[in-house]
Amino acid sequence: MSETAGFSEQDCMFMKRALKLAERGLYTTLPNPAVGCVIVRDSEVIGEGWHHRAGEPHAEVMALRDAGERQKEVRGATAYVTLEPCSHFGRTPPCALGLVNAGISRVVAAMKDPNPLVSGRGFKILEDAGVSVSCGLYENEARELNRAFFHSIVTGMPYVTVKYGMSIDARVALSNGESKWITSEASRHDVQRMRARHQVVLTSANTVVKDDPSLNVRWQELPFEVRELFPADPGFLPLRIIVDAKSVITFNEKIFRCPGPVMVARIGDSDIVRAEKISDSITVLKVPATLDDPSHISFRKLFKYLNAINIRNVMIEAGRGLVSDIVRHGLAHEIVFYIAPKIMGADAVSAFDALGLSSMKDVPELSVSEVSRCGEDVRITCRFKEISCLQE
């Protein structure tokens, strides 16, 4: 059945507007979902808003405030919202009660909230108060918008995206290690946008020692429309995590001199992840090793820890060793390939280490979800069809 079945053309138009508003929060709302809301009375938009930042008012409140500033009467109006209104007291009051108290007579939601704290309770508050509730309009679009948030809530693990720049023959460096620059300047600018959408950028100690990167968001390289939404404020910078299993990081690297927090993940002697803060911006994580190799950090336990501190998404920017480990353990959910129209040859460094596969049925399969241009390069987003642990 179509997502729009049972809904009017006006319903579709206003929900599309709510989804566009929700997109404006993608750079700043995590660990909360990005949500948009449009309030309509007599076919006229009288208020609209979106959730700007965790701890600040939700989309429904912002839309009600907007209606108030326009001096519009909301009693009897319809609210179009991209996610079921919340029902619990957190850092803000329940939005479902706010809509009831404002006199909203109908709510059209794109989808039910999978968060166990909400999950139907918001709709029940509305319906118990006599508010008409319809759900499911453009649900696929709404689910895609908050893919990482929903994955985190349902699985207890953050959504992991690997960023990989390579030549058209899948090489990431020359045989002498030179890799700057395989991809175009346009691709490198696009990576800044990717970083801005993630709570964590994770890399390896080998990458930090070899390339001495900052891994922060270079605000001036963001597209203008993103700079409007992503403040030039260190408080919005993603957390940078360095996987340092051999303890080679000296803390004198450039990454520690740039604004924003940094975590260094090293192997610990406990079964749980332990955090030790060594300065205002630097934390050392002691992470258990994998069962089969005491020299390798357990990414599964690291990611579970990150999810427990409300990290919904992680971006991997590293070399083939760490990337191959993540793929081998079935912990990557998508890979964004920036592919340059260059041929580097068989003697150049391959994009992946050996995965230890002996049968085609064990080969990880991906589906292409998006293809676009970045200057002369091609940007391809691929999602793993099935996430399974190849090796623990």
Side-chain angles (χ1 to χ4, degrees):
M1 181 179 291
S2 169
E3 284 187 305
T4 60
F7 295 97
S8 69
E9 287 186 16
Q10 280 201 344
D11 288 338
C12 295
M13 178 178 68
F14 294 131
M15 184 60 78
K16 283 182 179 178
R17 174 59 184 164
L19 287 165
K20 291 297 291 184
L21 289 169
E23 287 179 8
R24 297 181 65 83
L26 284 174
Y27 296 92
T28 53
T29 59
L30 288 171
N32 286 1
V35 181
C37 179
V38 174
I39 299 175
V40 176
R41 184 184 179 90
D42 297 329
S43 303
E44 176 194 1
V45 173
I46 60 173
E48 56 182 29
W50 71 93
H51 184 36
H52 289 230
R53 188 178 187 180
E56 295 183 1
H58 290 185
E60 299 90 329
V61 174
M62 298 299 289
L64 289 169
R65 285 184 182 177
D66 184 43
E69 290 171 1
R70 300 187 195 196
Q71 297 183 328
K72 298 291 187 178
E73 174 59 61
V74 300
R75 190 163 298 278
T78 296
Y80 295 86
V81 61
T82 57
L83 185 65
E84 175 184 359
C86 66
S87 58
H88 60 286
F89 284 89
R91 285 189 279 182
T92 59
C95 291
L97 281 178
L99 294 173
V100 168
N101 294 336
I104 295 293
S105 64
R106 181 185 179 222
V107 170
V108 179
M111 64 176 291
K112 181 180 177 181
D113 193 336
N115 187 341
L117 291 173
V118 184
S119 196
R121 294 181 178 89
F123 290 153
K124 187 174 188 308
I125 289 172
L126 294 167
E127 290 171 337
D128 287 350
V131 178
S132 171
V133 174
S134 301
C135 181
L137 179 57
Y138 294 128
E139 179 175 351
N140 289 339
E141 288 86 341
R143 192 172 296 278
E144 179 65 22
L145 192 69
N146 289 298
R147 187 179 184 88
F149 174 82
F150 298 142
H151 175 89
S152 169
I153 288 292
V154 171
T155 68
M157 296 280 277
Y159 190 86
V160 177
T161 298
V162 175
K163 184 279 295 183
Y164 228 173
M166 61 179 62
S167 64
I168 202 166
D169 56 343
R171 305 290 159 169
V172 295
L174 296 175
S175 57
N176 63 6
E178 184 181 347
S179 61
K180 291 185 178 179
W181 295 103
I182 295 174
T183 55
S184 67
E185 184 177 7
S187 290
R188 298 195 294 277
H189 286 187
D190 194 64
V191 169
Q192 301 304 310
R193 180 191 57 79
M194 276 189 69
R195 288 179 186 171
R197 282 198 179 189
H198 283 80
Q199 291 175 279
V200 164
V201 176
L202 185 146
T203 193
S204 66
N206 183 56
T207 296
V208 171
V209 170
K210 176 176 172 285
D211 298 336
D212 201 22
S214 301
L215 293 181
N216 57 0
V217 177
R218 295 191 289 274
W219 188 84
Q220 69 279 5
E221 293 183 17
L222 293 170
F224 174 75
E225 63 273 13
V226 176
R227 292 202 299 267
E228 285 189 306
L229 303 172
F230 186 82
D233 176 347
F236 283 89
L237 291 173
L239 167 67
R240 291 158 296 166
I241 298 179
I242 306 167
V243 176
D244 185 26
K246 296 180 180 178
S247 297
V248 299
I249 292 298
T250 66
F251 299 96
N252 294 318
E253 292 82 4
K254 182 168 65 176
I255 195 170
F256 298 102
R257 300 192 299 273
C258 297
V262 182
M263 283 183 173
V264 178
R266 291 175 167 170
I267 294 176
D269 55 6
S270 171
D271 289 336
I272 62 173
V273 177
R274 299 186 184 276
E276 178 188 353
K277 201 164 183 61
I278 62 174
S279 76
D280 288 343
S281 61
I282 302 172
T283 302
V284 172
L285 293 180
K286 294 299 182 71
V287 183
T290 58
L291 296 176
D292 61 317
D293 189 341
S295 68
H296 278 66
I297 278 175
S298 170
F299 285 109
R300 192 172 300 279
K301 290 188 176 180
L302 172 60
F303 291 159
K304 282 185 178 179
Y305 170 81
L306 294 177
N307 196 80
I309 60 171
N310 285 329
I311 299 297
R312 309 294 189 196
N313 64 6
V314 174
M315 178 179 172
I316 308 290
E317 286 199 67
R320 71 174 189 170
L322 189 148
V323 168
S324 298
D325 248 3
I326 296 288
V327 171
R328 186 182 299 114
H329 287 85
L331 294 171
H333 302 101
E334 70 178 27
I335 303 181
V336 178
F337 295 100
Y338 291 89
I339 301 175
K342 297 173 182 176
I343 298 172
M344 296 172 65
D347 57 335
V349 179
S350 174
F352 293 93
D353 280 338
L355 297 179
L357 303 169
S358 58
S359 171
M360 283 302 296
K361 66 180 177 60
D362 297 325
V363 173
E365 289 192 59
L366 298 93
S367 61
V368 176
S369 63
E370 184 183 358
V371 179
S372 59
R373 292 288 297 268
C374 276
E376 292 297 310
D377 302 339
V378 177
R379 181 182 189 268
I380 304 178
T381 301
C382 297
R383 290 178 178 159
F384 285 86
K385 291 184 177 180
E386 183 177 343
I387 304 299
S388 60
C389 181
L390 304 180
Q391 175 188 330
E392 182 50 68

